[in-house]
């Protein structure tokens, strides 16, 4: 008789190895288990490719793109800057590494990794009032940490993503068969989709790092915009004062910039005007709007200046009254981001970092796409 252990191993081989093999094959076809460096290379060869996989892989994927793009201008931060396009900085080579870092600690960590070998000339950080709250920073540190190791745990997670893809599609055979046997394309710009989340949601990261907004989100944009201040205050809790603990992260960033010889620009991007009016004027919310008020103060401007950080608060930009510049109250659309950078070019301290940008050409881009909040550059 065969030893018990041999029987168990034989059963494992018969039952589980084929299952794992099938998952691996499906994962490769869906782009879930394809190395991120390979996906980065595909986008380098074809700009009509969108990738989106597990949230934890965003930063590792974007570091692979940075190795290939070698940007002069690097944008870093949360989803608030996700719609910035490389074309807005032409002729400078730019890459949007947003949606990789939420608390300031993660921003500095990502910039450290991204500039260790290939150093940009300018790093533009999305610096929002809510980043200076300790409670939110603690929550995001736990929930939104990126997976830089990409080891065996990552591989197991990606196999789970394949199963999750089936669950989220209600195991519809036609949907699954189409996804694993042929290429999938989103219906707006006809970009090819790679990754379980890209295929399921029909959106993802472009080759310049910007996020192509999902068709479903576009359809509900007007409904979300109507929430105004409620959307912003429920998404980003306030506090009475800017945290010195969070400010220390900016000191780390300043020292990193000094050591590696790049300039740091910090931008608070626009919010929809109905939200900023509430933050400015609502007396019942005043105990929670200290972060909002203090980030604009002269004292904070002085602290940032002493760190060598050029800060531009665009949160109340005049064009923020037009909902056509947003796809929800806290996220400027591509049009809104272009208008933000056009306005920034009116600031001497910003313009002198980008003397070659043709502002008239950017204004022409805006005029050509009148009425279009998304996909100005396709």
């Amino acid at each position: 008789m065969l030893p018990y252990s041999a029987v168990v191993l034989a059963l494992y081989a018969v039952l589980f190895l084929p299952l794992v093999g099938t998952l691996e094959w499906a994962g490769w076809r869906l782009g879930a288990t394809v190395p991120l460096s390979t996906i980065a290379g595909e986008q380098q060869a074809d700009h009509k490719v969108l990738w989106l996989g597990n949230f934890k892989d965003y930063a590792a994927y974007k570091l692979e793109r940075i190795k290939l793009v070698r940007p002069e201008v690097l944008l870093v931060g949360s989803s608030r800057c996700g719609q910035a396009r490389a074309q807005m900085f032409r002729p400078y080579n730019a890459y949007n590494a947003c949606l990789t870092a939420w608390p300031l600690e993660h921003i500095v960590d990502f910039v450290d990794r991204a500039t260790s070998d290939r150093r940009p000339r300018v790093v533009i950080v999305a610096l929002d009032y809510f980043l200076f709250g300790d409670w939110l920073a603690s929550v995001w540190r736990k929930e939104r940490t990126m997976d830089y190791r990409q080891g065996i745990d990552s591989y197991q997670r990606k196999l789970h993503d394949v199963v999750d893809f089936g669950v989220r599609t209600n195991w519809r055979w036609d949907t699954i068969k189409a996804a694993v046997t042929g290429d999938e394309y989103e219906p707006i710009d006809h970009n090819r989709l790679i990754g379980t989340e890209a295929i399921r949601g029909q959106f993802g990261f472009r080759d310049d790092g910007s996020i192509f907004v999902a068709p479903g989100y576009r359809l509900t944009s007007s409904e979300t915009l109507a929430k105004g201040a409620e959307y912003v205050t429920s998404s980003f809790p306030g506090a009475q004062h800017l945290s010195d603990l969070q400010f220390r992260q900016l000191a780390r960033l300043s020292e990193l910039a000094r050591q590696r010889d790049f300039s740091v620009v910090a931008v608070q991007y626009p919010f929809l005007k109905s939200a900023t009016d509430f933050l400015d004027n609502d007396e019942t919310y005043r105990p929670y709007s200290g972060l909002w008020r203090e980030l604009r103060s002269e004292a904070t401007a002085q602290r940032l200046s002493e760190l060598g950080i050029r800060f531009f608060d665009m949160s109340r930009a005049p064009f923020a009254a037009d909902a056509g510049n947003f796809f929800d109250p806290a996220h400027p659309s591509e049009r809104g981001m272009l208008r933000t950078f056009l306005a920034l070019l009116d600031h001497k301290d910003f313009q002198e970092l980008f003397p070659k940008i043709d502002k008239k050409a950017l204004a022409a881009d805006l005029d050509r796409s009148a009425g279009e909040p998304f996909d100005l550059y396709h």
Side-chain angles (χ1 to χ4, degrees):
M1 293 181 61
L2 289 171
Y4 175 76
S5 58
V7 173
V8 171
L9 288 173
L11 286 173
Y12 176 85
V14 170
L15 296 176
F16 292 101
L17 290 183
L19 175 61
V20 172
T22 300
L23 282 176
E24 168 58 31
W25 172 79
W28 191 271
R29 293 296 305 158
L30 292 170
T33 56
V34 175
L36 297 175
S37 58
T38 300
I39 292 166
E42 285 197 49
Q43 284 193 312
Q44 192 75 357
D46 180 4
H47 82 282
K48 296 290 284 182
V49 169
L50 302 178
W51 172 85
L52 199 70
N54 192 286
F55 165 79
K56 287 184 171 291
D57 294 327
Y58 290 2
Y61 150 75
K62 289 202 170 187
L63 287 178
E64 294 295 340
R65 289 292 301 140
I66 288 167
K67 291 177 185 177
L68 299 176
V69 175
R70 294 176 172 267
E72 298 172 78
V73 183
L74 180 66
L75 294 94
V76 181
S78 68
S79 58
R80 290 251 296 136
C81 50
Q83 291 288 286
R85 300 300 305 275
Q87 292 93 325
M88 297 173 187
F89 293 90
R90 65 185 189 272
Y92 301 102
N93 187 21
Y95 185 75
N96 183 338
C98 298
L99 282 101
T100 59
W102 277 260
L104 287 169
E105 180 182 346
H106 288 178
I107 288 175
V108 180
D109 183 40
F110 184 88
V111 172
D112 186 10
R113 294 170 186 272
T115 62
S116 60
D117 296 319
R118 300 160 180 81
R119 297 172 186 176
R121 190 173 57 85
V122 181
V123 172
I124 302 178
V125 172
L127 189 67
D128 287 303
Y129 73 96
F130 50 79
L131 296 180
F132 291 91
D134 288 336
W135 183 84
L136 187 60
S138 176
V139 171
W140 279 349
R141 191 181 303 113
K142 295 175 183 176
E143 294 180 354
R144 304 194 177 186
T145 298
M146 298 284 104
D147 179 7
Y148 290 103
R149 295 179 62 187
Q150 295 293 299
I152 186 63
D153 290 343
S154 172
Y155 180 73
Q156 291 174 342
R157 174 168 46 77
K158 290 171 184 178
L159 289 181
H160 180 270
D161 290 343
V162 177
V163 176
D164 189 58
F165 178 82
V167 172
R168 292 190 177 206
T169 56
N170 295 315
W171 296 107
R172 290 191 297 268
W173 173 243
D174 289 347
T175 300
I176 295 172
K177 180 182 178 182
V180 300
T181 59
D183 292 334
E184 294 282 295
Y185 296 85
E186 51 80 19
I188 297 171
D189 265 358
H190 205 61
N191 292 296
R192 183 161 64 90
L193 302 166
I194 299 178
T196 52
E197 291 304 293
I199 294 169
R200 188 180 64 82
Q202 299 186 318
F203 74 118
F205 291 117
R206 300 182 182 93
D207 64 325
D208 67 355
S210 64
I211 190 75
F212 177 87
V213 179
Y217 208 100
R218 297 176 191 226
L219 291 173
T220 60
S221 179
S222 58
E223 178 183 336
T224 311
L225 283 164
K227 296 180 180 179
E230 178 189 354
Y231 181 96
V232 173
T233 56
S234 63
S235 301
F236 312 117
Q240 289 186 332
H241 300 290
L242 300 180
S243 164
D244 284 336
L245 182 63
Q246 303 309 317
F247 236 102
R248 284 184 214 137
Q249 300 299 333
L250 293 181
R252 286 180 55 217
L253 178 62
S254 174
E255 179 61 20
L256 193 62
R258 187 191 65 77
Q259 292 174 356
R260 297 183 181 175
D261 194 28
F262 59 80
S263 298
V264 178
V265 171
V267 179
Q268 181 162 232
Y269 292 98
F271 293 92
L272 189 66
K273 187 175 186 296
S274 60
T276 58
D277 284 347
F278 178 90
L279 292 169
D280 281 335
N281 303 309
D282 190 273
E283 287 300 320
T284 61
Y285 191 74
R286 190 168 181 81
Y288 309 99
S289 62
L291 301 179
W292 172 252
R293 295 191 306 274
E294 289 184 8
L295 185 56
R296 283 179 62 87
S297 69
E298 290 185 9
T300 300
Q302 181 63 30
R303 291 180 76 178
L304 291 170
S305 178
E306 289 171 357
L307 292 173
I309 296 173
R310 308 184 196 207
F311 175 57
F312 302 91
D313 186 358
M314 305 301 292
S315 59
R316 299 170 179 81
F319 58 82
D322 181 359
N325 294 309
F326 298 84
F327 62 89
D328 69 36
H331 293 86
S333 62
E334 200 166 300
R335 169 171 291 275
M337 292 302 288
L338 178 55
R339 295 196 71 171
T340 299
F341 291 121
L342 278 167
L344 281 169
L345 288 168
D346 289 333
H347 293 263
K348 182 181 177 182
D349 286 350
F350 187 87
Q351 193 276 334
E352 69 181 13
L353 289 172
F354 306 103
K356 296 180 182 179
I357 291 180
D358 186 341
K359 187 178 177 183
K360 290 183 178 179
L362 292 185
D365 293 345
L366 196 67
D367 291 340
R368 275 195 304 273
S369 306
E372 170 58 60
F374 308 103
D375 314 319
L376 273 64
Y377 295 99
H378 297 281

